[in-house]
Amino acid sequence: MNDEHPEPSEELTSLRRSIDNIDAALIHLLAERFKFTQSVGRLKASTGLPASDPGREKVQIARLRALAEDARLDPAFAEKFLNFIVAEVIHHHEQIASTGTTEIQK
C-alpha cells in the first residue's frame, strides 16, 4: 500500500466512518431541536396559540434556502428537509395541545 494513495477499500471505510459520525451528530442535533420545539408547543398550548405559524415557517424556509445556497447544498432539498421537520413539529404541537404530552415512538 502506498501511503499517498490509500487502497480504495480503506478510503471507502474512512469516508463511511465520517458519514456515520455526521449522521450521529445530525440525530443529536435533531433531538436537541425537538426539545426546544416541544417547549414551544407547551407554551403555545398554554397560551392558546395555534400549532402552526405559517409566517414563521415562510421566514424559516427562506432562511434555510439561503443557508443551503451558501453551503452549496440544493435549496430545494433543504426546503423539503425543513418541511418534513416542521410537519413533525406541528404534529407534536397538536398532540401537546390535545393531550398535554407527546409520545415518542420507539
Side-chain angles (χ1 to χ4, degrees):
M1 181 184 108
N2 183 339
D3 288 336
E4 291 180 31
H5 300 288
E7 292 294 317
S9 61
E10 291 175 16
E11 185 175 4
L12 183 59
T13 299
S14 176
L15 290 168
R16 286 180 172 165
R17 191 176 308 118
S18 294
I19 291 167
D20 292 348
N21 289 339
I22 293 168
D23 287 346
L26 285 170
I27 294 300
H28 288 282
L29 286 171
L30 284 170
E32 281 298 305
R33 188 184 196 286
F34 276 96
K35 286 178 190 175
F36 285 104
T37 60
Q38 288 180 3
S39 294
V40 168
R42 287 189 292 276
L43 181 61
K44 284 181 171 184
S46 71
T47 58
L49 291 170
S52 177
D53 184 345
R56 162 86 174 153
E57 293 160 26
K58 184 177 178 181
V59 168
Q60 286 300 94
I61 287 169
R63 184 172 91 55
L64 194 66
R65 286 183 68 94
L67 288 170
E69 286 181 25
D70 289 346
R72 296 185 174 176
L73 179 68
D74 179 2
F77 169 77
E79 184 173 344
K80 288 178 196 174
F81 180 72
L82 182 62
N83 285 334
F84 177 77
I85 292 171
V86 168
E88 188 66 17
V89 167
I90 291 169
H91 173 71
H92 287 182
H93 289 183
E94 290 169 343
Q95 268 191 310
I96 290 167
S98 65
T99 68
T101 188
T102 59
E103 295 284 324
I104 302 298
Q105 300 289 324
K106 291 188 179 186

